[in-house]
Amino acid sequence: MRIGELAAAVGVSPRALRYYEEQGLLRPDRTPTGHRVYPESAIERVHLIRLLLAAGLASRTIIDILPCLATGTIASAQLEMLKTEQVRIDSQIRSLERARERLADLISTSVVRDQAS
Amino acid sequence: MRIGELAAAVGVSPRALRYYEEQGLLRPDRTPTGHRVYPESAIERVHLIRLLLAAGLASRTIIDILPCLATGTIASAQLEMLKTEQVRIDSQIRSLERARERLADLISTSVVRDQAS
DNA sequence: CTTGCAGTTGACGTTGGCGTCAGGTCCTAG
DNA sequence: CTAGGACCTGACGCCAACGTCAACTGCAAG
């Protein structure tokens, strides 16, 4: 499939897909004229990339863990990285929960006041 | 208290405090010679600012809701903003939880492999 | 007085994840 | 043959939240 199709399939821009390739996250084949050709599996792969990027992992980190999907094996150094990221994500979740709670406090304790513009 | 003291008290850099002021989040008094002077309450205020920034709120948004703390009242437009932010935070938390789960999957299903180098 | 740390403003640098041209090529339909 | 999408490679733009000089002033201690 070509870049436009993949982009539509996963809901990202072609520019983003080229950027992922530039970062080493994707390695599409090329037609003789240089057009990118992606396998079906790229859809799943991009979804995972987006998920991890949204969770705050650096693309460098993602590069290291993507091979684990294909091989089903992982180096101990990468395993440590994954655990570190989990810890970071956990603390980020807690931070978000505190913020949400604080906003809820504000909402429940504030008196709504009419505001002309 | 001066900027260095406040910075140490809340664990941020003086530069960050000046930036918050530039953004309208803080309004310290000044000594006759121009040095910033913060009230004790600034500690609490900066903690809240950090919490909301960490939760992904824009400083412009924070500007609008900080007065609510002081007045205990809130305009209906700001109330809507707060609810919108809550929704955003909720979806962000869910996204993080999915990522964490995915990492846990990887950890539990991958075979740890020895790695020279 | 001077040493030296703390403070001031101003301005440019950084990082990530793309958006957005610009200028050219490829390919399919009519 | 030609029109017009879709694709290509640069390369510069953008935004937020500061970091990092630079060049200067303020101030307390010895």
Side-chain angles (χ1 to χ4, degrees):
Chain A
M1 88 197 307
R2 288 170 305 171
I3 195 169
E5 295 176 78
L6 178 56
V10 298
V12 308
S13 67
R15 175 66 178 96
L17 295 178
R18 295 195 191 97
Y19 174 74
Y20 297 157
E21 180 178 354
E22 195 180 321
Q23 300 302 305
L25 298 174
L26 295 174
R27 297 185 177 285
D29 285 338
R30 298 295 184 121
T31 67
T33 59
H35 287 198
R36 292 172 177 82
V37 176
Y38 299 89
E40 284 297 316
S41 60
I43 295 180
E44 179 77 12
R45 191 178 176 95
V46 173
H47 278 314
L48 179 58
I49 291 171
R50 299 283 293 178
L51 183 66
L52 297 181
L53 281 179
L57 277 77
S59 51
R60 273 310 318 269
T61 307
I62 301 179
I63 291 177
D64 290 344
I65 70 179
L66 276 181
C68 303
L69 276 184
T71 67
T73 69
I74 187 172
S76 52
Q78 270 70 52
L79 184 59
E80 285 313 305
M81 269 188 11
L82 289 193
K83 289 180 179 174
T84 301
E85 291 297 336
Q86 274 194 326
V87 169
R88 194 186 50 72
I89 290 174
D90 281 343
S91 84
Q92 197 176 337
I93 288 176
R94 278 194 301 275
S95 173
L96 283 168
E97 282 169 346
R98 279 198 302 274
R100 198 181 70 108
E101 213 175 325
R102 199 72 178 78
L103 292 184
D105 281 358
L106 272 178
I107 288 176
S108 66
T109 66
S110 293
V111 176
V112 178
R113 132 184 58 98
D114 285 343
Q115 186 80 25
S117 164
Chain B
M1 90 197 306
R2 289 169 305 170
I3 196 170
E5 294 176 77
L6 177 56
V10 297
V12 308
S13 66
R15 175 66 178 95
L17 295 179
R18 295 196 190 97
Y19 174 73
Y20 297 157
E21 180 177 355
E22 194 181 321
Q23 299 303 304
L25 298 174
L26 295 174
R27 297 186 178 282
D29 285 338
R30 300 293 184 122
T31 67
T33 58
H35 287 197
R36 292 172 177 81
V37 176
Y38 299 88
E40 283 297 317
S41 61
I43 295 180
E44 179 77 11
R45 192 178 174 95
V46 173
H47 278 314
L48 179 58
I49 291 172
R50 299 283 293 179
L51 182 66
L52 297 181
L53 281 179
L57 276 78
S59 51
R60 274 311 318 268
T61 307
I62 300 179
I63 291 176
D64 290 343
I65 70 180
L66 276 182
C68 303
L69 275 184
T71 67
T73 71
I74 186 172
S76 52
Q78 270 70 53
L79 184 59
E80 286 312 305
M81 268 187 13
L82 289 192
K83 289 180 179 175
T84 301
E85 292 296 336
Q86 275 194 325
V87 169
R88 196 186 50 70
I89 289 174
D90 281 344
S91 84
Q92 197 175 339
I93 289 176
R94 279 194 299 277
S95 173
L96 284 168
E97 282 170 344
R98 280 198 302 274
R100 197 180 62 121
E101 214 175 324
R102 198 72 178 79
L103 293 184
D105 281 359
L106 272 178
I107 289 176
S108 66
T109 66
S110 293
V111 175
V112 177
R113 133 182 57 97
D114 285 344
Q115 187 79 22
S117 153

